[in-house]
């Protein structure tokens, strides 16, 4: 019997009063976010926590791995350049993201037109590079070794994952697709840095790989369903239209809805199939998340008819996570990726807090999935630093009159689930050659 497609993480949340003072994080009361009462006498300076995290992030993200793709680079002229850049605005040097080295590189022309080499080559030169074939259509600034271009139709590690793209000559499809690709590049760079297996189902691994369909409904036709099934992730292209996505977010009473969030959620379904199903993790998964064999379609129908489980704030990262065990995993996975990438970006730019002090009640061993896990101290450093940095982020957003950047509240049970995801990711990275 074919496995049902796991749909989008749109949640139908009823107004809920949530005030988890025991964890000392942002609490939600409809229309307001505030800091709940905190344990008297505890002040955790951000600088020591982030400093500790900075020393341990390579372990958090997997042995021998860089803590995420480069988020803070410099051109050969010394000026700062950023992940999306394809040219240095200071000196005009060409730039490209090298997915093998996980860094943004300054480029100099090679011996043939369209061929580049890294300006920072020292000693034995790296293989010649060329730009992704989607440099023009999607603004993709990624590179690939020129000797791999023929095998992958000139597509980089991120773009070769595409199975279907929209008709770029129709309406605003090209603009919307470029936004999707920008979010996907962020996702793919993080997955590579985490040391997770990532091959194209189209051209590299038809059995266990992953691929993407970016589809748009015809006028008057039913909406495209965002979801995952057997390594194929489908995304409704209209999600790249800000007005459409915000309308859906308000209709569904979601606190957060972004392209990157969708992609991180759906890739979580893929990695459940790839890393958990049929593995030694399945038993511990069921003990922590519940039994995924409950009827998925019936569970989603119940969720959309009656709303989320009343106790979701005490056990899940979001209301939609309570719909089914698979959705609980995918929502938790997405939140883990949010945490790691945000903290790594902060650390990449030297954000250690200085004189900033934010009061939190840190999580301890009682919030872990497996207290005996050797990586537990690093995980606790990650999640406790996350509490501090998101409290600061939200205050900065409010200063600009914007919604909270991170509207998620983490209960002890949700943190234990995040720890389970961390353990799976760390073990997978450690086991890779």
């Amino acid at each position: 019997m074919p496995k049902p497609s796991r749909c989008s993480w749109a949640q139908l949340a009823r107004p809920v009063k949530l005030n988890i003072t025991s964890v000392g994080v942002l609490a939600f009361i409809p229309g307001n976010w505030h800091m709940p009462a905190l344990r008297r006498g505890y002040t955790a300076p951000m600088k020591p926590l982030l400093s500790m995290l900075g020393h341990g992030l390579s372990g958090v993200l997997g042995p021998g791995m860089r803590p995420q793709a480069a988020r803070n680079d410099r051109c050969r002229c010394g000026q700062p350049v950023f992940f999306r850049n394809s040219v240095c605005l200071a000196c005009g040097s060409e730039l490209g993201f090298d997915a093998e080295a996980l860094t943004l590189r300054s480029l100099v022309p090679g011996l043939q037109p369209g061929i580049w080499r890294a300006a920072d080559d020292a000693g034995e030169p790296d293989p010649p590079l060329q730009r992704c074939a989607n440099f023009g259509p999607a603004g993709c600034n990624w590179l690939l070794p020129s000797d791999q271009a023929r095998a992958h139709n000139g597509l980089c590690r991120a773009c070769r994952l595409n199975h279907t793209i929209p008709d770029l000559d129709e309406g605003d499809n090209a603009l919307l697709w470029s936004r999707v690709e920008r979010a996907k590049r962020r996702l793919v760079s993080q997955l590579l840095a985490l040391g997770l297996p990532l091959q194209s189902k189209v051209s590299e691994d038809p059995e266990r790989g992953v691929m993407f369909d970016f589809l748009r409904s015809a006028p008057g036709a039913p909406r495209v369903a965002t979801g995952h099934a057997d390594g194929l992730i489908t995304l409704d292209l209209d999600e790249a239209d800000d007005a459409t996505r915000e309308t859906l977010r308000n209709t569904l009473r979601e606190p957060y809805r972004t392209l990157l969030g969708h992609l991180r959620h759906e890739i979580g379904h893929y990695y459940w199939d790839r890393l958990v199903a049929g593995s030694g993790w399945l038993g511990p998964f069921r003990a922590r998340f519940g039994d995924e064999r409950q009827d998925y379609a019936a569970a989603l129908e119940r969720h959309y008819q009656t709303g989320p489980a009343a106790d979701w704030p005490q056990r899940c990262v979001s209301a939609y996570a309570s719909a089914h065990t698979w959705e609980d995993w995918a929502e938790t996975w997405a939140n883990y990726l949010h945490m790691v990438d945000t903290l790594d970006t902060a650390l990449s730019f030297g954000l250690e807090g200085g004189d900033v002090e934010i009061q939190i009640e840190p999580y301890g061993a009682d919030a872990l999935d497996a207290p005996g896990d050797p990586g537990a101290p690093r995980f606790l450093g990650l999640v406790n630093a996350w509490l501090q940095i998101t409290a600061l982020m939200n205050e900065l957003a409010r200063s600009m009159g914007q919604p909270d950047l991170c509207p998620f509240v983490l209960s002890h049970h949700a943190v234990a689930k995040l720890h389970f995801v961390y353990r799976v990711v760390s073990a997978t990275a450690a086991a890779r050659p």
Side-chain angles (χ1 to χ4, degrees):
M1 183 174 180
K3 184 183 299 181
S5 173
R6 297 169 205 161
C7 298
S8 70
W9 64 330
Q11 60 191 30
L12 186 61
R14 297 172 293 183
V16 175
K17 180 176 181 180
L18 179 60
N19 188 2
I20 308 177
T21 57
S22 61
V23 298
V25 293
L26 296 176
F28 177 56
I29 296 175
N32 296 284
W33 288 90
H34 64 90
M35 288 298 295
L38 299 164
R39 179 184 296 171
R40 179 177 298 175
Y42 181 81
T43 300
M46 184 182 295
K47 186 170 183 178
L49 254 181
L50 289 181
S51 177
M52 178 192 73
L53 184 60
H55 287 98
L57 251 181
S58 61
V60 172
L61 301 182
M65 300 304 300
R66 290 186 56 177
Q68 277 290 14
R71 303 302 186 211
N72 181 19
D73 291 290
R74 289 190 178 272
C75 176
R76 56 179 173 159
C77 72
Q79 290 298 309
V81 289
F82 303 96
F83 181 64
R84 298 182 188 179
N85 292 161
S86 59
V87 64
C88 174
L89 298 180
C91 72
S93 292
E94 296 281 336
L95 305 171
F97 182 76
D98 184 345
E100 305 303 319
L102 294 173
T103 192
L104 193 68
R105 292 191 135 170
S106 298
L107 304 174
V108 294
L111 299 178
Q112 302 173 24
I115 301 299
W116 303 88
R117 64 180 180 85
D120 58 355
D121 275 351
E124 184 149 349
D126 289 336
L129 302 166
Q130 69 181 65
R131 288 199 179 276
C132 177
N134 281 339
F135 176 60
C140 179
N141 69 334
W142 284 31
L143 307 165
L144 70 158
S146 58
D147 60 3
Q148 296 181 16
R150 183 183 297 274
H152 300 292
N153 296 315
L155 297 174
C156 69
R157 289 290 300 271
C159 290
R160 72 185 62 158
L161 302 177
N162 291 345
H163 178 248
T164 306
I165 65 171
D167 182 351
L168 303 184
D169 294 325
E170 184 175 319
D172 58 354
N173 282 357
L175 171 64
L176 300 183
W177 177 57
S178 69
R179 293 174 180 172
V180 172
E181 290 296 332
R182 187 168 61 202
K184 180 160 68 72
R185 288 193 293 273
R186 186 89 185 193
L187 169 73
V188 172
S189 68
Q190 181 181 28
L191 299 176
L192 293 174
L194 286 168
L196 292 168
L198 187 67
Q199 291 82 34
S200 170
K201 194 176 182 71
V202 178
S203 62
E204 294 174 314
D205 188 346
E207 295 298 320
R208 305 190 72 195
V210 65
M211 60 186 181
F212 292 83
D213 278 356
F214 301 127
L215 308 178
R216 196 171 197 183
S217 304
R223 291 188 65 87
V224 171
T226 294
H228 167 266
D230 299 319
L232 172 62
I233 292 172
T234 302
L235 181 71
D236 180 5
L237 192 69
D238 281 328
E239 290 283 351
D241 178 75
D242 295 339
T244 299
R245 190 178 61 255
E246 184 64 11
T247 298
L248 286 169
R249 189 190 68 79
N250 283 316
T251 300
L252 296 167
R253 294 178 173 178
E254 296 178 353
Y256 175 92
R257 189 182 185 93
T258 67
L259 286 174
L260 186 55
H262 276 309
L263 295 175
R264 283 174 170 164
H265 174 98
E266 299 304 340
I267 203 73
H269 286 305
Y270 165 72
Y271 280 116
W272 189 89
D273 287 347
R274 181 77 187 262
L275 305 179
V276 178
S279 76
W281 290 108
L282 186 57
F285 167 82
R286 288 173 177 166
R288 175 57 60 190
F289 286 83
D291 194 333
E292 82 289 350
R293 291 170 292 188
Q294 63 177 300
D295 190 300
Y296 180 72
L300 284 193
E301 182 177 0
R302 182 170 58 252
H303 172 82
Y304 286 114
Q305 289 292 327
T306 65
D311 65 342
W312 75 262
Q314 282 73 51
R315 59 185 180 87
C316 300
V317 297
S318 72
Y320 187 58
S322 68
H324 187 274
T325 305
W326 275 336
E327 300 304 335
D328 197 3
W329 161 269
E331 288 282 82
T332 304
W333 176 278
N335 270 264
Y336 177 74
L337 296 189
H338 291 335
M339 290 170 55
V340 171
D341 196 18
T342 302
L343 282 170
D344 181 65
T345 301
L347 290 166
S348 295
F349 286 90
L351 179 57
E352 295 186 356
D355 295 330
V356 177
E357 293 186 356
I358 296 179
Q359 291 179 314
I360 66 164
E361 184 173 339
Y363 292 106
D366 60 328
L368 294 171
D369 174 62
D373 171 29
R378 286 177 175 146
F379 172 77
L380 288 175
L382 172 74
V383 74
N384 287 324
W386 172 248
L387 294 185
Q388 290 196 310
I389 198 69
T390 52
L392 176 58
M393 285 164 44
N394 289 343
E395 285 300 320
L396 292 172
R398 294 166 192 165
S399 297
M400 291 292 293
Q402 295 295 317
D404 287 353
L405 292 174
C406 178
F408 302 106
V409 175
L410 300 179
S411 67
H412 276 63
H413 288 295
V415 171
K417 291 173 181 177
L418 286 164
H419 184 215
F420 182 88
V421 171
Y422 160 80
R423 293 174 62 216
V424 172
V425 170
S426 298
T428 301
R432 297 192 72 197

